Amino acid sequence: MIKLANATMHDQSNFREAFKNFGFEVEATPRLREVSGAWEAYNLACEIVEQAKKEGYDGLLLGGRTDLMIYLAIQAPAYGLDLYQAETKRERDENDRFIFNLAGIT
């Protein structure tokens, strides 16, 4: 099982079983938060990568702001962490709201 830190802004509790079916153990609690400006985004990315490595994760599940994703993508490999992104299929429910279904991991 590949262990991933949740480098998104979304709780992954509802998808944990689906992730397991793909061979991943994903942290439920999101590590990203709202930031303002490049410096704050960079610092948060560094903090997430350092903590994930210290906590024994194999990689990061990415998702969110483009600037944060770029900083994470640069920092994570330097710490030996792999990067993954959820592939989701959007379907509409009876109230025309989107429901996201995990279809894979890239």
Side-chain angles (χ1 to χ4, degrees):
M1 204 55 75
I2 298 170
K3 190 174 169 187
L4 301 181
N6 182 358
T8 77
M9 294 184 87
H10 303 283
D11 185 289
Q12 300 297 326
S13 297
N14 293 338
F15 299 104
R16 291 186 84 192
E17 278 305 310
F19 279 119
K20 281 184 182 174
N21 291 335
F22 291 111
F24 295 88
E25 179 183 326
V26 176
E27 173 184 41
T29 305
R31 292 181 182 241
L32 293 188
R33 62 181 182 274
E34 289 292 327
V35 294
S36 178
W39 187 244
E40 199 173 321
Y42 172 77
N43 284 326
L44 177 58
C46 290
E47 175 187 314
I48 289 169
V49 168
E50 289 171 12
Q51 274 303 119
K53 183 63 176 181
K54 190 184 303 181
E55 293 171 17
Y57 285 95
D58 301 308
L60 304 175
L61 176 67
L62 296 178
R65 286 176 47 151
T66 303
D67 56 351
L68 276 165
M69 297 306 99
I70 291 168
Y71 294 133
L72 288 166
I74 292 168
Q75 291 293 325
Y79 283 79
L81 296 170
D82 293 326
L83 302 169
Y84 297 89
Q85 186 168 8
E87 297 173 24
T88 54
K89 265 202 304 194
R90 295 189 312 175
E91 298 173 3
R92 293 196 183 266
D93 69 7
E94 62 279 354
N95 297 314
D96 206 32
R97 293 178 297 209
F98 280 120
I99 297 174
F100 295 92
N101 294 308
L102 186 64
I105 299 176
T106 303

